[in-house]
Amino acid sequence: MDLKNRRIAVIGAGIADEEIYTTAYQVGKLLGEKGAIIYTGGLGGVMEAACRGAFEVGALTVGILPGNKAEEANPFVRIPIVTNMGEGRNVILVRCAEVVVAISGGYGTLSEIALALKMWKPVIGLKTWENIPGVVYVSSPEEVLSKILEFFT
Amino acid sequence: MDLKNRRIAVIGAGIADEEIYTTAYQVGKLLGEKGAIIYTGGLGGVMEAACRGAFEVGALTVGILPGNKAEEANPFVRIPIVTNMGEGRNVILVRCAEVVVAISGGYGTLSEIALALKMWKPVIGLKTWENIPGVVYVSSPEEVLSKILEFFT
Amino acid sequence: MDLKNRRIAVIGAGIADEEIYTTAYQVGKLLGEKGAIIYTGGLGGVMEAACRGAFEVGALTVGILPGNKAEEANPFVRIPIVTNMGEGRNVILVRCAEVVVAISGGYGTLSEIALALKMWKPVIGLKTWENIPGVVYVSSPEEVLSKILEFFT
Amino acid sequence: MDLKNRRIAVIGAGIADEEIYTTAYQVGKLLGEKGAIIYTGGLGGVMEAACRGAFEVGALTVGILPGNKAEEANPFVRIPIVTNMGEGRNVILVRCAEVVVAISGGYGTLSEIALALKMWKPVIGLKTWENIPGVVYVSSPEEVLSKILEFFT
């Protein structure tokens, strides 16, 4: 439980192929097993997969939702936050986190990476936007975990 | 566990005397025992008391914080949400909730009562702003619980 | 031009009868003639009337819009601000203003009155929510103007 | 006046060297001469330079400010919008605009570029983050203007 109550955001595409889904699931699971609270944008794809991995090992999962209804959250979100702010919720998501993990993703994810770096938060990148100065790139869920454990040592 | 995963906001003054603190604590405890998730503004007074009551019976407690630091949350907040939006967080707090319970409170609380009514959410008032049309006024924590159980029946 | 570039919010109901529309129009006109910038929620009713009065005398009018489209602004808004935050825009509207004038209005207006008072801003009330401690109640557009001129003396 | 009342955001670094300042000033001036309303983040550097160029030719300039005080706006902002949302204001700034022009810039600017692309808005890049797919790159203020005139034809 080395990450007990640590707040970690997992960000990424709202639609994921099997490889990306499995990767994000694995990240959620590994972090959840250590006691982290997983914050995501609460919708599908990478967000769902990360919540699912964490949820299945009993971790807390938070969905910072863009819309007006808690019901838009994926079923693995335990705590829905209903912002009704559209992409404005990206800023809150990043601000909640101590570390941000980016997995794949489009422009929304890029905005979150940039916002996190702007706020001086560590960003770990896995199969995501390349060559962003400041991002710590890794190549597996296990490496995500080991990097994060390093940050908190 | 009749309120399992129901999202209930408890709003009220950031500074509370003993009577109000005990009242809010009791409300948090009674709702927490039924399995509700307690959403508050995350700071002191009524917010702390409600979180504490819920926390001590093992319920989930969310603090929708106005500032920029998770550390400003009271110690009974399990999930801090860091909005950095000042009073703007009042709108998110109300939007997250299915029911809002107002206990005492000043202008901030009044704004939340009005926002909740604007969003057509039930508002239960206990020792708070009087004569607001639409608020369901009660006189004890037990009555808060029984009113809320009615809403969800 | 005693109010040149002063930022004054006019808040109130989105639907107005003739009396209220005329009142809000007159308030916008009187303040606009003095050079104030009129901030409103950008939609219909009181918001439109106040913008119209100010617009017709050449004053700047700002609409802090709840939705996602500049096109939802009434035709007398010169500068649309597209927040996509729903009622969250109420907080920004109030925060922009040095003084808030409330004319009629429902729960949304009540939330703005409370937010303004919470932020220690002067609130002038005309045919609006009664008996809110802290609101300076007046009974005509001319009195709105004279009160505001006093504030800035 | 081919851009009359068109809403154009100019984004970029809060600190600018002489070359960048002059570039942004020129962009503001060229767009302002055509009647555009210039939206910026309201602070220094590129934001100030663009406002200044537009202000000096009589155009409207809007500053979507991150903080809590209108006074933090640069002196060439005619309409301050006080969000108190920190980086959250980036989202509102982009949402107000029909076209976004990025000049130089750091992570904040990158977040705005990404948000604009996410919202399907045209982004013109001048001496800014390179190789972002979707950005229309140009090399002079005159080219910024001609591209924007094309968009609105």
Side-chain angles (χ1 to χ4, degrees), chain D residues 74-130:
Chain D
N74 71 62
F76 310 103
V77 167
R78 289 192 59 194
I79 298 106
I81 303 297
V82 188
T83 69
N84 195 34
M85 288 169 64
E87 278 76 27
R89 72 87 141 78
N90 298 9
V91 184
I92 296 178
L93 172 54
V94 166
R95 220 182 277 282
C96 287
E98 294 172 277
V99 179
V100 174
V101 181
I103 302 171
S104 80
Y107 291 130
T109 303
L110 179 58
S111 77
E112 291 166 325
I113 293 171
L115 287 162
L117 293 168
K118 173 78 180 176
M119 298 178 199
W120 296 86
K121 306 204 174 191
V123 178
I124 297 176
L126 178 55
K127 303 174 188 169
T128 188
W129 288 83
E130 288 170 14

Side-chain angles (χ1 to χ4, degrees), chain B:
Chain B
M1 296 287 277
D2 306 276
L3 297 175
K4 187 161 170 53
N5 288 330
R6 291 297 183 178
R7 302 182 310 282
I8 300 176
V10 182
I11 62 176
I15 295 175
D17 64 19
E18 196 184 333
E19 183 204 335
I20 291 295
Y21 196 95
T22 307
T23 301
Y25 174 89
Q26 203 60 24
V27 167
K29 185 166 178 284
L30 289 171
L31 297 173
E33 284 170 347
K34 294 292 184 190
I37 307 177
I38 303 302
Y39 288 71
T40 75
L43 302 180
V46 164
M47 301 173 259
E48 179 182 304
C51 286
R52 185 175 197 160
F55 184 91
E56 290 185 1
V57 295
L60 287 175
T61 54
V62 182
I64 313 278
L65 298 162
N68 194 23
K69 288 191 183 315
E71 289 69 25
E72 74 177 335
N74 71 61
F76 309 103
V77 167
R78 290 192 59 195
I79 297 107
I81 303 297
V82 188
T83 69
N84 195 36
M85 287 170 64
E87 278 76 24
R89 72 85 142 79
N90 297 10
V91 185
I92 297 178
L93 172 54
V94 166
R95 220 183 276 283
C96 286
E98 294 172 278
V99 179
V100 173
V101 181
I103 301 171
S104 80
Y107 291 129
T109 303
L110 178 59
S111 77
E112 291 165 326
I113 292 172
L115 287 162
L117 293 168
K118 172 78 179 176
M119 299 178 199
W120 296 87
K121 307 204 174 191
V123 177
I124 298 175
L126 178 56
K127 303 175 187 169
T128 188
W129 288 84
E130 288 170 14
N131 300 314
I132 309 286
V135 173
V136 177
Y137 290 100
V138 300
S139 52
S140 71
E142 290 71 22
E143 250 192 288
V144 170
L145 175 61
S146 65
K147 277 292 170 204
I148 291 179
L149 289 172
E150 266 177 45
F151 288 139
F152 289 118
T153 305

Side-chain angles (χ1 to χ4, degrees), chain A residues 104-126:
Chain A
S104 81
Y107 292 129
T109 303
L110 179 58
S111 76
E112 291 165 326
I113 292 172
L115 287 162
L117 293 168
K118 173 78 179 174
M119 298 179 200
W120 297 86
K121 306 203 176 194
V123 178
I124 298 175
L126 177 55

Side-chain angles (χ1 to χ4, degrees), chain A:
Chain A
M1 295 289 277
D2 306 275
L3 298 175
K4 187 158 170 53
N5 288 331
R6 291 297 183 179
R7 302 182 310 280
I8 299 175
V10 182
I11 63 175
I15 296 175
D17 64 20
E18 196 185 333
E19 184 204 335
I20 291 294
Y21 196 95
T22 307
T23 300
Y25 174 89
Q26 204 59 26
V27 167
K29 186 166 177 283
L30 290 171
L31 296 172
E33 285 171 346
K34 295 292 183 189
I37 306 177
I38 303 301
Y39 288 72
T40 75
L43 303 180
V46 164
M47 299 174 261
E48 179 182 306
C51 287
R52 186 176 198 158
F55 184 92
E56 291 185 1
V57 296
L60 287 174
T61 54
V62 182
I64 314 276
L65 297 162
N68 194 22
K69 287 188 183 316
E71 291 69 26
E72 74 177 336
N74 71 62
F76 309 104
V77 167
R78 290 192 60 193
I79 298 107
I81 303 296
V82 187
T83 69
N84 195 35
M85 287 170 63
E87 278 76 25
R89 72 86 142 80
N90 297 9
V91 184
I92 297 177
L93 172 54
V94 166
R95 220 182 277 283
C96 287
E98 294 172 278
V99 179
V100 173
V101 181
I103 302 171
S104 81
Y107 292 129
T109 303
L110 179 58
S111 76
E112 291 165 326
I113 292 172
L115 287 162
L117 293 168
K118 173 78 179 174
M119 298 179 200
W120 297 86
K121 306 203 176 194
V123 178
I124 298 175
L126 177 55
K127 302 174 188 170
T128 188
W129 288 83
E130 288 170 13
N131 299 315
I132 310 286
V135 173
V136 176
Y137 289 100
V138 299
S139 52
S140 72
E142 290 72 22
E143 250 191 289
V144 170
L145 175 62
S146 63
K147 277 291 171 206
I148 291 179
L149 289 173
E150 265 176 46
F151 289 139
F152 289 118
T153 305

